Amino acid sequence: MASARRGWDATAIPFPSGFDGNSAMTSCLLVIDVQWGMFQALKVPKVWNDGPLLARILTLIQKARAAGTRVVYVQHAGEPHESLAAGSPAFALHPAFAPQPDEPVVVKRRPNAFLDTPLHGLLRGWGIKEIVACGIQTEVCVDSTCRAAADLGYEVTLVSDAHSTWDNQILKAEQVIAHHNVTLKDYDFVRLLKTDELKLGEVPDGGCRNTSTKVNG
């Protein structure tokens, strides 16, 4: 299981091997809560479309590494009675991931990955301006983190086919995903791209409300 590393000096973490001083280093791939319990039906059913979801996220990680784009993993630490209880088998990042020394793991306890975590300071220390988001759970941690990132001044790209959830009493998982893609885009929190459309390291044009390059403190 990947261990959480808190309170780093962002400048002390080496640049990825692909670093060439271009816009790749102003972007960060944020992999949200892709943890073992989401795929093993330990306390909850498997996340919807689990195999293709994992394959797309692994593709995004490969693209980020090739472009020299930062990768940060977010790991939710639940309470003892919750499905992702800290220290339980379900809490571990999916074993398909092998975070590199320059790819931190940020542990959170709330849906918003910026709340009471070092994430904002870490990204600000690196000079990150754009976040590319993927992961689980669409209407909870993915939604909350995208909205918070936009409010902090980041440009946010949500990979529309690389986040997932579960059926609920009203909607199927596919409907929840489609609804949140449209809502977050239409209210200018994010711009949407599919996995095969995303070219990490290129600063995109338009689609998000945050036109300033400043990331607020």
Side-chain angles (χ1 to χ4, degrees):
M1 181 181 72
S3 61
R5 290 163 277 177
R6 289 178 171 270
W8 313 279
D9 172 4
T11 61
I13 299 177
F15 289 122
S17 57
F19 173 67
D20 60 5
N22 65 20
S23 59
M25 289 307 298
T26 64
S27 300
C28 177
L29 175 65
L30 197 62
V31 181
I32 302 169
D33 298 357
V34 184
Q35 293 168 245
W36 192 228
M38 310 291 203
F39 295 82
Q40 292 299 302
L42 299 174
K43 285 192 175 182
V44 295
K46 291 183 180 181
V47 69
W48 180 77
N49 209 28
D50 59 322
L53 172 71
L54 182 62
R56 291 181 187 125
I57 293 173
L58 289 170
T59 295
L60 292 171
I61 293 169
Q62 292 169 355
K63 285 186 175 187
R65 290 172 177 169
T69 297
R70 294 284 190 180
V71 179
V72 174
Y73 303 85
V74 176
Q75 188 176 22
H76 187 80
E79 297 299 324
H81 65 280
E82 294 177 331
S83 59
L84 297 179
S88 70
F91 170 70
L93 294 180
H94 193 286
F97 296 153
Q100 301 299 302
D102 57 5
E103 296 174 353
V105 179
V106 173
V107 173
K108 66 176 178 60
R109 293 189 175 275
R110 302 292 299 164
N112 172 6
F114 293 92
L115 182 63
D116 298 328
T117 76
L119 180 59
H120 182 42
L122 184 69
L123 300 182
R124 185 170 57 182
W126 285 336
I128 297 299
K129 299 171 184 176
E130 182 193 8
I131 289 172
V132 177
C134 62
I136 306 168
Q137 179 178 351
T138 297
E139 72 275 32
V140 187
C141 299
V142 173
D143 179 272
S144 296
T145 299
C146 285
R147 290 171 186 261
D151 286 342
L152 287 167
Y154 296 97
E155 298 284 351
V156 184
T157 296
L158 176 61
V159 186
S160 61
D161 60 353
H163 61 96
S164 191
T165 186
W166 291 262
D167 296 348
N168 61 38
Q169 293 177 330
I170 300 172
L171 299 173
K172 296 292 187 182
E174 304 99 305
Q175 295 173 304
V176 175
I177 293 165
H179 169 79
H180 280 265
N181 280 339
V182 170
T183 300
L184 288 169
K185 178 180 180 293
D186 285 356
Y187 284 87
D188 295 329
F189 287 104
V190 307
R191 59 194 206 90
L192 299 174
L193 286 175
K194 293 183 178 179
T195 300
D196 60 4
E197 296 171 334
L198 185 68
K199 295 181 180 179
L200 286 163
E202 294 184 3
V203 177
D205 295 324
C208 188
R209 64 180 173 178
N210 299 307
T211 57
S212 171
T213 58
K214 180 180 178 182
V215 176
N216 298 321

